Structures are given as C-alpha cells and as structure tokens.
C-alpha cells in the first residue's frame, strides 16, 4: 500500500519570513489530515526558517535541487550533506532545471543516487514537451528519460517519481486524469522492468502540472497516481491544504 504524497514546489518565491508564515499556515490547516505525506519545498535560503516553523508538525521539508558531489569547488551549489539536517526530500530533474539550466539525464541520475545515498528522498521529475506529445511518442520519451535518469539507482524504497508534462506546468491546462494515469502506469511498468515488480509497486508516482483544488480529485482517484507535485497553488496555504484534504479523503468522525 503506497502512502499518497502532496508536495509543494515553491520555486523561486517567498523570503525566509514569508516562507515561515506560509509553512505555519499549511501546517495549521492540514493538521489532523492523516494518511498523506505532506511536503513543502521552499528555496534553499528559506529552508532553515521553514524547518523551524514546522517543528512539531507532520509537514516535511524538501529542497528543489541538490548537487551530486559531497563537497568542493562548486560555487553556488548545495550538497546532500548540507540538506540532511534540514530536509527529508529533494526534487531532482525538474523540467525548469532541465530546460533553463541544462540538466541532463546523466546529471539527474547522479543527483538522485547521491540524494538517496545521503538519506534524502528524491522526487524525480520527468515529462514530455508539447512537441513530443504531438508526435505520439510521449510514452517512449518518458520511459527513456526515466530509465536514463535512474541509471545506477538502487534505493527503491525512498524514490518518488513526478510525471510533469512540460506543457501542463504553469499553463493552467492540466493533463487529463486519463493521460496522467496512462503515463503513471507506463512509469510503473518501466520501474518494474528496471527493478522488479515489488519495487514498482512501492514507488509513489505523482502528477504535476496546473493542479489545483478544483481539478485534484479525479487525479487522486486513478489507481497509479499517488499524489501531486503542486507549483502555483502551493503558494496559497488554503489551496494547497484543500488539495491535501481531497487526497486524505473524508475525515472520520
Ligand atoms: P504548476 O502547478 O504551477 O503548474 O507547477 C507545477 C510544477 O512545476 C511543480 O513542480
């Protein structure tokens, strides 16, 4: 049985002060909503303030990126060891990192492996562009991207995959729950091919791309979709908490 995950990617938004306020508000609004792993991923400089604000709550902290080397001359970068005191998760291979900062599958694979080896849970993002979807090759593309981004990976119990079609990110046009389910199932098949059926059954597969409280429900009802990676709506505590609530289901009396 996989525990659903709702993760908020705050991207390059908030300051340490506003991030702590947002985190506190999410924790207050989602306290008592059980059976969902809740994660917020602030910018690196906000992580200490968010960690302090979330002390004693069940909301976990993630980073948005990490370097694969443990230390060294990598100006501006952050290592796994720096994050483990502060965070439990880290997003790797987000499409914005891939398209704007030149990240490759090989580099993403190194980050995922380093994160897991250091005790962080990687949230590995994959997804096709609109051009690729139009060619009808989305599944082939995503499977290859997944396989290459998992080269050398072995910590299947700590892995989370996020399927984020590039055309759905920040566009207000989410994929249909059916498209997301078909891809989530293909992702699980590919993991089964790489690591076996038991591993594939344990890895949560999230959908990301214009998720909001109005459209979240039908994604969560699909058998292979285990939660969401939320961008814009995660900056609004009420909207993010509503998505957590929808995923948790009705509160028992
Ligand atoms: P939006 O929810 O703003 O479309 O962003 C999705 C995303 O990129 C999460 O990582």
């Amino acid at each position: 049985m996989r525990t659903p995950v709702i993760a908020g990617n705050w991207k390059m938004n908030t300051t340490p002060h506003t991030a702590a306020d947002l985190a506190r508000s999410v924790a207050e609004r989602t306290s008592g909503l059980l059976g969902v792993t809740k994660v917020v991923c602030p910018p690196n400089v906000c992580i200490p303030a968010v960690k302090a604000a979330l002390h004693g709550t069940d909301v976990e902290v993630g980073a948005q990126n990490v370097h694969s080397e443990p230390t060294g001359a990598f100006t501006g970068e952050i290592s796994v060891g720096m994050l483990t005191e502060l965070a439990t998760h880290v997003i790797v291979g987000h499409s914005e990192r891939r398209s704007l900062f030149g990240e490759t599958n090989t580099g993403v694979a190194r980050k995922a492996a380093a994160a897991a080896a250091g005790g962080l849970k990687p949230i590995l993002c994959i997804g096709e562009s609109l051009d690729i979807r139009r060619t009808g090759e989305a599944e082939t593309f995503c499977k290859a991207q997944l396989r290459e981004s998992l080269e050398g990976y072995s910590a299947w119990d700590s892995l989370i995959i996020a399927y984020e079609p590039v055309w759905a990110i920040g566009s207000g046009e989410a994929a249909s729950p059916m498209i997301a389910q078909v891809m989530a199932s293909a992702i699980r098949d590919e993991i089964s091919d790489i690591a076996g059926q038991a591993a594939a059954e344990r890895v949560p597969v999230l959908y990301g791309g214009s998720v909001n409280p109005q459209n979240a429900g039908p994604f969560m009802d699909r058998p292979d979709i285990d939660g969401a990676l939320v961008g814009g709506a995660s900056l609004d505590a009420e909207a993010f908490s509503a998505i957590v609530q929808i995923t948790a289901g009705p509160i028992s009396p």
Side-chain angles (χ1 to χ4, degrees):
M1 186 67 183
R2 299 181 294 271
T3 302
V5 179
I6 299 296
N9 176 6
W10 294 359
K11 307 193 179 182
M12 198 173 74
N13 296 289
T14 71
T15 67
H17 189 88
T18 63
D21 285 348
L22 177 56
R24 256 189 300 274
S25 183
V26 166
E28 276 162 23
R29 289 168 186 272
T30 61
S31 79
L33 298 177
L34 306 176
V36 184
T37 302
K38 311 153 199 173
V39 188
V40 293
C41 304
N44 285 334
V45 293
C46 301
I47 289 180
V50 167
K51 162 95 173 154
L54 292 175
H55 183 75
T57 77
D58 66 351
V59 180
E60 300 184 51
V61 182
Q64 299 173 14
N65 183 29
V66 71
H67 198 275
S68 54
E69 293 298 319
T71 53
F74 301 102
T75 301
E77 293 292 318
I78 302 280
S79 74
V80 172
M82 294 170 195
L83 284 173
T84 44
E85 286 178 24
L86 299 164
T88 49
H89 294 70
V90 61
I91 298 169
V92 294
H94 191 278
S95 76
E96 287 149 19
R97 300 288 327 162
R98 292 174 185 269
S99 67
L100 302 172
F101 302 99
E103 294 203 8
T104 61
N105 290 338
T106 307
V108 172
R110 282 198 203 104
K111 290 181 179 203
L120 293 174
K121 297 187 176 94
I123 303 175
L124 170 62
C125 301
I126 60 160
E128 82 286 357
S129 66
L130 191 54
D131 283 351
I132 292 168
R133 175 145 294 272
R134 284 189 176 134
T135 63
E137 296 294 321
E139 213 175 289
T140 310
F141 174 87
C142 287
K143 283 183 162 190
Q145 196 182 39
L146 180 70
R147 187 174 279 268
E148 288 173 27
S149 300
L150 285 172
E151 184 67 41
Y153 192 85
S154 57
W156 303 102
D157 280 334
S158 52
L159 182 66
I160 298 169
I161 304 290
Y163 168 56
E164 297 207 310
V166 177
W167 45 272
I169 294 175
S171 66
E173 295 283 334
S176 70
M178 186 156 77
I179 284 180
Q181 162 59 29
V182 167
M183 194 63 84
S185 167
I187 287 168
R188 215 175 288 292
D189 284 350
E190 193 67 10
I191 296 174
S192 178
D193 242 40
I194 301 168
Q197 178 75 14
E201 288 301 325
R202 290 199 301 272
V203 174
V205 179
L206 318 185
Y207 166 73
S210 298
V211 174
N212 60 42
Q214 287 71 46
N215 65 17
F219 288 103
M220 306 312 162
D221 293 341
R222 301 286 166 150
D224 285 295
I225 302 175
D226 307 307
L229 181 54
V230 185
S234 71
L235 295 169
D236 176 339
E238 193 179 343
F240 185 73
S241 304
I243 297 167
V244 173
Q245 161 98 66
I246 288 161
T247 309
I251 303 166
S252 42

mmCIF file of all heavy atoms in Angstrom, residues 9 11 91 94-96 125 164 168-172 208-211 229-233, ligand 1:
data_model
loop_
_atom_site.group_PDB
_atom_site.id
_atom_site.type_symbol
_atom_site.label_atom_id
_atom_site.label_comp_id
_atom_site.label_asym_id
_atom_site.label_seq_id
_atom_site.Cartn_x
_atom_site.Cartn_y
_atom_site.Cartn_z
ATOM 1 N N ASN A 9 6.013 22.697 -4.634
ATOM 2 C CA ASN A 9 7.263 23.255 -5.157
ATOM 3 C C ASN A 9 7.086 24.765 -5.219
ATOM 4 O O ASN A 9 6.389 25.267 -6.100
ATOM 5 C CB ASN A 9 7.538 22.659 -6.545
ATOM 6 C CG ASN A 9 8.772 23.262 -7.189
ATOM 7 O OD1 ASN A 9 9.489 24.052 -6.570
ATOM 8 N ND2 ASN A 9 9.016 22.909 -8.442
ATOM 9 N N LYS A 11 9.216 26.946 -5.926
ATOM 10 C CA LYS A 11 10.075 27.558 -6.963
ATOM 11 C C LYS A 11 10.789 28.799 -6.395
ATOM 12 O O LYS A 11 11.119 28.817 -5.211
ATOM 13 C CB LYS A 11 9.250 27.843 -8.227
ATOM 14 C CG LYS A 11 8.505 26.580 -8.720
ATOM 15 C CD LYS A 11 7.932 26.680 -10.102
ATOM 16 C CE LYS A 11 7.242 25.362 -10.467
ATOM 17 N NZ LYS A 11 6.696 25.333 -11.811
ATOM 18 N N ILE A 91 13.709 17.606 -4.753
ATOM 19 C CA ILE A 91 13.273 17.479 -6.152
ATOM 20 C C ILE A 91 14.530 17.380 -7.021
ATOM 21 O O ILE A 91 15.469 18.161 -6.844
ATOM 22 C CB ILE A 91 12.440 18.708 -6.569
ATOM 23 C CG1 ILE A 91 11.161 18.817 -5.717
ATOM 24 C CG2 ILE A 91 12.095 18.664 -8.056
ATOM 25 C CD1 ILE A 91 10.411 20.139 -5.885
ATOM 26 N N HIS A 94 13.728 18.605 -12.258
ATOM 27 C CA HIS A 94 12.543 19.376 -12.648
ATOM 28 C C HIS A 94 12.738 19.908 -14.068
ATOM 29 O O HIS A 94 13.847 20.252 -14.461
ATOM 30 C CB HIS A 94 12.322 20.535 -11.665
ATOM 31 C CG HIS A 94 10.985 21.194 -11.869
ATOM 32 N ND1 HIS A 94 10.787 22.137 -12.848
ATOM 33 C CD2 HIS A 94 9.790 21.021 -11.247
ATOM 34 C CE1 HIS A 94 9.512 22.512 -12.820
ATOM 35 N NE2 HIS A 94 8.885 21.851 -11.852
ATOM 36 N N SER A 95 11.654 20.025 -14.816
ATOM 37 C CA SER A 95 11.792 20.434 -16.234
ATOM 38 C C SER A 95 12.404 21.825 -16.362
ATOM 39 O O SER A 95 13.080 22.118 -17.344
ATOM 40 C CB SER A 95 10.449 20.367 -16.948
ATOM 41 O OG SER A 95 9.650 21.451 -16.579
ATOM 42 N N GLU A 96 12.188 22.690 -15.337
ATOM 43 C CA GLU A 96 12.820 24.021 -15.412
ATOM 44 C C GLU A 96 14.332 23.903 -15.250
ATOM 45 O O GLU A 96 15.092 24.643 -15.880
ATOM 46 C CB GLU A 96 12.197 24.947 -14.347
ATOM 47 C CG GLU A 96 10.788 25.356 -14.754
ATOM 48 C CD GLU A 96 9.828 25.601 -13.601
ATOM 49 O OE1 GLU A 96 10.274 25.806 -12.463
ATOM 50 O OE2 GLU A 96 8.606 25.563 -13.847
ATOM 51 N N CYS A 125 11.640 14.157 -11.350
ATOM 52 C CA CYS A 125 10.647 14.661 -12.306
ATOM 53 C C CYS A 125 10.991 14.244 -13.729
ATOM 54 O O CYS A 125 12.153 14.331 -14.144
ATOM 55 C CB CYS A 125 10.591 16.184 -12.267
ATOM 56 S SG CYS A 125 10.176 16.853 -10.653
ATOM 57 N N GLU A 164 5.459 15.208 -14.814
ATOM 58 C CA GLU A 164 5.060 16.600 -15.037
ATOM 59 C C GLU A 164 5.218 16.935 -16.521
ATOM 60 O O GLU A 164 6.318 17.309 -16.964
ATOM 61 C CB GLU A 164 5.947 17.548 -14.233
ATOM 62 C CG GLU A 164 5.850 17.362 -12.740
ATOM 63 C CD GLU A 164 6.173 18.655 -11.985
ATOM 64 O OE1 GLU A 164 7.208 19.275 -12.266
ATOM 65 O OE2 GLU A 164 5.362 19.034 -11.140
ATOM 66 N N ALA A 168 1.940 21.268 -19.341
ATOM 67 C CA ALA A 168 0.921 21.479 -18.297
ATOM 68 C C ALA A 168 1.443 22.331 -17.144
ATOM 69 O O ALA A 168 0.671 22.787 -16.302
ATOM 70 C CB ALA A 168 0.444 20.125 -17.762
ATOM 71 N N ILE A 169 2.754 22.578 -17.117
ATOM 72 C CA ILE A 169 3.350 23.309 -15.986
ATOM 73 C C ILE A 169 3.105 24.800 -16.142
ATOM 74 O O ILE A 169 3.501 25.403 -17.150
ATOM 75 C CB ILE A 169 4.866 23.026 -15.893
ATOM 76 C CG1 ILE A 169 5.110 21.554 -15.550
ATOM 77 C CG2 ILE A 169 5.519 23.937 -14.861
ATOM 78 C CD1 ILE A 169 6.573 21.157 -15.552
ATOM 79 N N GLY A 170 2.428 25.372 -15.156
ATOM 80 C CA GLY A 170 2.202 26.816 -15.144
ATOM 81 C C GLY A 170 1.298 27.309 -16.253
ATOM 82 O O GLY A 170 1.170 28.524 -16.454
ATOM 83 N N SER A 171 0.657 26.409 -16.988
ATOM 84 C CA SER A 171 -0.147 26.814 -18.150
ATOM 85 C C SER A 171 -1.618 26.968 -17.811
ATOM 86 O O SER A 171 -2.386 27.502 -18.610
ATOM 87 C CB SER A 171 -0.004 25.771 -19.260
ATOM 88 O OG SER A 171 -0.587 24.553 -18.831
ATOM 89 N N GLY A 172 -2.021 26.456 -16.650
ATOM 90 C CA GLY A 172 -3.442 26.434 -16.323
ATOM 91 C C GLY A 172 -4.174 25.308 -17.038
ATOM 92 O O GLY A 172 -5.367 25.118 -16.859
ATOM 93 N N GLY A 208 2.059 16.208 -11.778
ATOM 94 C CA GLY A 208 2.267 17.642 -11.572
ATOM 95 C C GLY A 208 1.997 18.416 -12.845
ATOM 96 O O GLY A 208 2.293 17.944 -13.956
ATOM 97 N N GLY A 209 1.422 19.596 -12.696
ATOM 98 C CA GLY A 209 1.122 20.460 -13.844
ATOM 99 C C GLY A 209 -0.260 21.049 -13.696
ATOM 100 O O GLY A 209 -1.248 20.392 -13.973
ATOM 101 N N SER A 210 -0.300 22.313 -13.184
ATOM 102 C CA SER A 210 -1.563 23.052 -13.038
ATOM 103 C C SER A 210 -2.581 22.335 -12.144
ATOM 104 O O SER A 210 -3.791 22.405 -12.380
ATOM 105 C CB SER A 210 -2.170 23.371 -14.407
ATOM 106 O OG SER A 210 -1.285 24.197 -15.155
ATOM 107 N N VAL A 211 -2.087 21.650 -11.114
ATOM 108 C CA VAL A 211 -3.010 21.023 -10.146
ATOM 109 C C VAL A 211 -3.551 22.106 -9.220
ATOM 110 O O VAL A 211 -2.819 22.982 -8.746
ATOM 111 C CB VAL A 211 -2.295 19.944 -9.308
ATOM 112 C CG1 VAL A 211 -3.208 19.401 -8.212
ATOM 113 C CG2 VAL A 211 -1.812 18.797 -10.195
ATOM 114 N N LEU A 229 2.566 16.909 -7.341
ATOM 115 C CA LEU A 229 3.607 17.912 -7.133
ATOM 116 C C LEU A 229 3.000 19.222 -7.624
ATOM 117 O O LEU A 229 2.690 19.376 -8.802
ATOM 118 C CB LEU A 229 4.875 17.544 -7.909
ATOM 119 C CG LEU A 229 6.069 18.489 -7.772
ATOM 120 C CD1 LEU A 229 6.448 18.724 -6.306
ATOM 121 C CD2 LEU A 229 7.281 17.947 -8.536
ATOM 122 N N VAL A 230 2.786 20.138 -6.685
ATOM 123 C CA VAL A 230 1.972 21.333 -6.937
ATOM 124 C C VAL A 230 2.878 22.548 -7.001
ATOM 125 O O VAL A 230 3.686 22.767 -6.091
ATOM 126 C CB VAL A 230 0.932 21.509 -5.794
ATOM 127 C CG1 VAL A 230 0.003 22.675 -6.094
ATOM 128 C CG2 VAL A 230 0.142 20.226 -5.568
ATOM 129 N N GLY A 231 2.758 23.354 -8.040
ATOM 130 C CA GLY A 231 3.539 24.585 -8.154
ATOM 131 C C GLY A 231 2.751 25.775 -7.644
ATOM 132 O O GLY A 231 2.658 26.014 -6.443
ATOM 133 N N GLY A 232 2.161 26.522 -8.568
ATOM 134 C CA GLY A 232 1.472 27.776 -8.232
ATOM 135 C C GLY A 232 0.522 27.672 -7.039
ATOM 136 O O GLY A 232 0.556 28.517 -6.134
ATOM 137 N N ALA A 233 -0.313 26.642 -7.017
ATOM 138 C CA ALA A 233 -1.311 26.526 -5.952
ATOM 139 C C ALA A 233 -0.678 26.237 -4.585
ATOM 140 O O ALA A 233 -1.321 26.428 -3.551
ATOM 141 C CB ALA A 233 -2.336 25.442 -6.290
HETATM 142 P P1 LIG B 1 2.181 24.437 -11.580
HETATM 143 O O1 LIG B 1 1.368 23.692 -10.554
HETATM 144 O O2 LIG B 1 2.306 25.887 -11.287
HETATM 145 O O3 LIG B 1 1.715 24.142 -12.960
HETATM 146 O O4 LIG B 1 3.686 23.878 -11.475
HETATM 147 C C1 LIG B 1 3.899 22.508 -11.489
HETATM 148 C C2 LIG B 1 5.303 22.247 -11.154
HETATM 149 O O5 LIG B 1 6.205 22.573 -11.907
HETATM 150 C C3 LIG B 1 5.593 21.610 -9.868
HETATM 151 O O6 LIG B 1 6.909 21.183 -9.799
#
